[in-house]
Amino acid sequence: AQLVESGGGSAQAGASLRLSCAASGDNFKNIIMGWFRQTPGNEREFVASIWWRGSSPSYADSVKGRFTISRDYDKNTVYLQMDSLKPEDTAIYYCVGAHYLQDVTHAPSYDYWGQGTQVTVSS
């Protein structure tokens, strides 16, 4: 599968943004999807993941209650709805996919990565 993100941009603290990730490839429906983010000088950080048929969403503690991950099988797309944004959410956000995972927070376990989209939140 190939992954292409969109929807990044700039926002004020407290505002909302929605990221989209369009997947191509016949095996999209069998892939675990998720989002990571990265800031300069830091490792990629797990944000959220969602399993087949939209089950078992997982979130990092830092975004729990503010971000929502979802997927649309008809559109081959996964979304990250980001509400109540904070300046510390500023990062490049990557859409990811994996055929199998034991630890959804383990970045090297993901098979597919998008090119990334910048999110900037100002106070």
Side-chain angles (χ1 to χ4, degrees):
Q2 289 185 321
L3 308 176
V4 179
E5 303 99 334
S6 61
S10 299
Q12 295 283 331
S16 299
L17 285 173
R18 188 176 79 158
L19 305 183
S20 299
C21 174
S24 60
D26 294 336
N27 57 354
F28 168 75
K29 292 178 174 56
N30 298 319
I31 289 178
I32 304 161
M33 303 294 296
W35 294 89
F36 276 71
R37 65 187 182 186
Q38 188 174 28
T39 54
N42 293 308
E43 294 186 354
R44 294 180 178 182
E45 173 193 19
F46 171 76
V47 176
S49 65
I50 190 165
W51 286 60
W52 306 283
R53 299 294 178 186
S55 63
S56 303
S58 297
Y59 299 94
D61 288 342
S62 58
V63 307
K64 199 172 295 183
R66 300 188 298 119
F67 290 10
T68 303
I69 188 171
S70 61
R71 64 193 298 172
D72 185 326
Y73 276 90
D74 291 337
K75 296 182 179 180
N76 275 9
T77 301
V78 63
Y79 303 98
L80 185 68
Q81 177 66 40
M82 305 185 294
D83 298 321
S84 302
L85 283 164
K86 302 176 180 180
E88 50 263 44
D89 294 319
T90 296
I92 298 174
Y93 283 72
Y94 295 92
C95 179
V96 296
H99 293 286
Y100 174 75
L101 289 171
Q102 287 187 315
D103 178 0
V104 297
T105 68
H106 188 237
S109 295
Y110 286 84
D111 303 298
Y112 307 101
W113 289 77
Q115 81 286 353
T117 185
Q118 177 71 46
V119 171
T120 302
V121 183
S122 56
S123 57

